């Protein structure tokens, strides 16, 4: 018999099964309140601001750059900017504010958008959010344990705050992120809006943003073709909101963050089958979604109440294409259940291929299949694994085929083994790993999903808080160029101890664990990721129109520009090539009806 570890504490059983969280006592990260950012640890604080004239300054700047907080920007003021958009698309611009002296109560707002033909889009379509600085580090060697003192630290402009006004510091910059959500029913044409920068209610600067609305409609997020799979972490939401796990208050607190995910076009619900599938690699352990109990007579019962509520909750938000359930192969091969005869939570090591593995998983898989079938979810439910080798995958897949072959199989593959399991309905290949283009084509014909993924080992493209902003957009273009259906990223909201201030984590480069911030706060990374997902969908629509019209010349040009982005390795002109491809899509959008 395999070695069995028993935790004899009833308190521990309650913690794992009831879902209470040891971090709940921490401060809630509330909206509408400000906070002091961490001190700038760099020599940027010595930047010379002597040439900056008195008063508040404002200029449009590139959305491809993060501006250091303490550096004199020394830029020529740009008072106008223009963006292209489809109907139903969300587009971005960035304004930089700076001052040599402190400036209190600064607010940024936008007027309604007026077209040259008299059409109007309301001012509520434009949002101005102050960009906040969080502490970050550097990629260095990627994965591995990190002591903060061993890595270069700096402040990164990333979080988009919900404040109505902000007190600017002396000799500091403050970016402002401008978001325009073009209504799907808007008339095509050229629109202009005035961005006003006020201090104490008085206008200090005015900038003009032009939005060229093309005569194309972007499908809503739920209908976009890009397969976005960013794993959700409900336990982190419970901690930062100081609410009981899986309570009504918890589900209410989940809404802002999960609505953001749905708005990006998320396709997959992340669920767990037993205990934390990743052996508590995160700041917050994953709380149980399904609880197992072994009765005194040896029979098994499984409580799916939380699982059902979680799935229905996400489906109600529009995330309803897949349910990926982790994991038949948890990282430490451990399974736990409440043993009624012992009145204890029992933790068992069940390695695949052993008798105990089959003994524990067989009744569960059969019962889970019945439950999922009764709920009408069988066709969209996958048994999922993450980065496991062939010696473990083979017996696990064999058991699944034997006792519950009706389930789909999903897994993230960094062992170059995806060709081995032909019934895997959803696979994600590690970025940079070799894959066969023919396999991707054949899988798509079968209706199977093939994506790529990035993690702590991938310097580029990635979504660390120090990553170039355009990398978040590049990821979708890389998927397009390589023939993938989309991308997987291991966590959307696995927040660290103090995510509003410090994005660093004990084992991975800063920002690896989350894309957005508590209480529905967005980020530059999220906004640029959404941009890429929209681009992916637009390119698909334009390609179909070019093929229908037999415009081979423009189709060849588009394919050539996309092909330049078919690499998961950083190269000198990647951002230039990305923007060149985006400009060509804008040109085609103007030409094609």
């Amino acid at each position: 018999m395999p070695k069995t570890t028993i935790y004899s504490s009833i308190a521990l059983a309650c913690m794992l099964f009831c879902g209470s969280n040891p971090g709940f006592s921490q401060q809630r990260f509330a909206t509408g309140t400000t906070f002091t950012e961490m001190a700038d640890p760099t020599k940027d604080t010595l930047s010379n601001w002597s040439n900056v004239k008195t008063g508040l300054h404002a200029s449009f700047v590139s959305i491809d750059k993060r501006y250091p907080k303490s550096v004199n920007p020394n830029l020529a003021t740009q008072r106008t900017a223009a963006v292209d958009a489809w109907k139903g698309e969300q587009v971005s611009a960035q304004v930089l504010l700076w001052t040599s002296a402190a400036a209190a109560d600064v607010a940024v707002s936008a007027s309604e958008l007026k077209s040259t033909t008299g059409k109007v889009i309301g001012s509520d379509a434009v949002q101005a959010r102050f960009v906040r600085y969080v502490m970050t580090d550097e990629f260095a060697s990627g994965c591995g344990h990190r002591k903060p003192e061993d890595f270069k630290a700096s402040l990164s402009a990333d979080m988009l705050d919900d404040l109505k006004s902000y007190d600017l510091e002396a000799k500091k910059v403050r970016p402002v992120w401008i978001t325009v959500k073009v209504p799907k029913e808007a008339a095509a044409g050229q629109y202009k809006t005035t961005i006003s920068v006020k201090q104490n209610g008085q206008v200090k600067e005015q900038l003009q943003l032009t939005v060229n609305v093309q005569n194309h409609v972007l499908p809503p997020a739920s209908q976009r073709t890009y397969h976005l799979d960013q794993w959700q972490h409900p336990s982190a939401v419970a901690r930062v909101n100081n609410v009981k796990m899986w309570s009504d208050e918890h589900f209410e607190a989940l809404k802002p963050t999960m609505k953001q995910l749905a708005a990006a076009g998320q396709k997959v619900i992340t669920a767990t089958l037993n205990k934390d599938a990743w052996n508590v690699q995160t700041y917050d352990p994953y709380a149980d979604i399904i609880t197992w109990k072994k009765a005194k007579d040896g029979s098994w019962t499984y409580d799916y109440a939380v699982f059902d509520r979680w799935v229905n909750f996400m489906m109600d938000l529009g995330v309803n294409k897949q349910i990926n359930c982790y994991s038949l192969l948890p990282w430490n091969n451990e399974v736990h259940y409440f043993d009624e005869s012992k009145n204890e939570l029992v933790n068992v090591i069940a390695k695949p291929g052993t008798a105990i593995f089959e003994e524990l998983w067989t009744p569960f898989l059969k019962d889970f299949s019945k439950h999922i079938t009764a709920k009408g979810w069988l066709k969209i439910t996958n048994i999922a694994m993450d980065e496991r080798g062939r010696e473990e995958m083979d017996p696990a897949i064999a058991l699944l085929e034997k006792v519950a072959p009706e389930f789909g199989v999903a897994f993230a593959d960094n062992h170059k083994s995806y060709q081995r399991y032909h019934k895997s309905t959803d696979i994600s290949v590690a970025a940079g790993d070799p894959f066969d283009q023919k396999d991707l084509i054949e899988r798509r014909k079968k209706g199977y999903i093939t994506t790529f993924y990035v993690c702590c080992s991938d310097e580029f493209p990635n979504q660390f808080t120090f990553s170039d902003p355009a990398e978040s957009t590049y990821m979708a273009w890389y998927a397009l160029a390589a023939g993938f259906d989309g991308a997987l990223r291991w966590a959307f909201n696995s927040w660290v101890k103090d995510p509003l201030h410090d994005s660093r984590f004990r084992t991975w480069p800063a920002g690896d664990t989350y894309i957005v911030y508590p209480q529905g706060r967005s980020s530059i990374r999220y906004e640029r990721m959404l941009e890429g997902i929209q681009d992916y969908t637009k390119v698909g629509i334009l390609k179909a129109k070019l093929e229908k019209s037999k415009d081979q010349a423009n189709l060849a040009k588009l394919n050539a520009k996309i092909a330049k982005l078919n690499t998961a390795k950083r190269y000198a002109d990647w951002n230039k090539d990305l923007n060149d491809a985006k400009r060509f899509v804008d040109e085609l959008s103007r030409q094609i009806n």
Side-chain angles (χ1 to χ4, degrees), residues 21 23-24 29 232-243 245 250 254 282-287 493-496 499 513-514 518-519:
N21 191 308
F24 285 169
F29 300 99
Q232 305 99 61
H233 196 166
S235 298
V237 175
R239 169 175 57 90
V240 301
N241 285 278
N242 196 26
V243 294
M245 196 75 200
H250 183 206
L254 282 161
T282 52
Y283 184 80
D284 299 288
Y286 272 78
N493 69 302
S494 186
W495 292 315
V496 293
T513 67
Y514 62 101
Q519 276 78 47

Side-chain angles (χ1 to χ4, degrees), residues 52-61 73 75-80 94-99 106-108 168 172-176 178 195-198 203-208:
V52 176
K53 295 180 180 179
T54 57
L56 182 59
H57 303 272
S59 174
F60 282 112
V61 291
L75 54 83
T77 300
Q78 182 181 339
R79 299 190 180 279
T80 61
Q94 186 170 205
V95 170
L96 190 67
L97 308 179
W98 69 99
T99 177
V106 175
V108 181
L168 300 188
K172 306 291 182 186
V173 305
R174 181 59 52 182
V176 179
I178 308 298
I195 308 296
S196 297
V197 181
K198 299 178 182 179
V203 175
K204 297 295 182 180
E205 294 279 1
Q206 287 191 318
L207 309 174
Q208 189 174 79

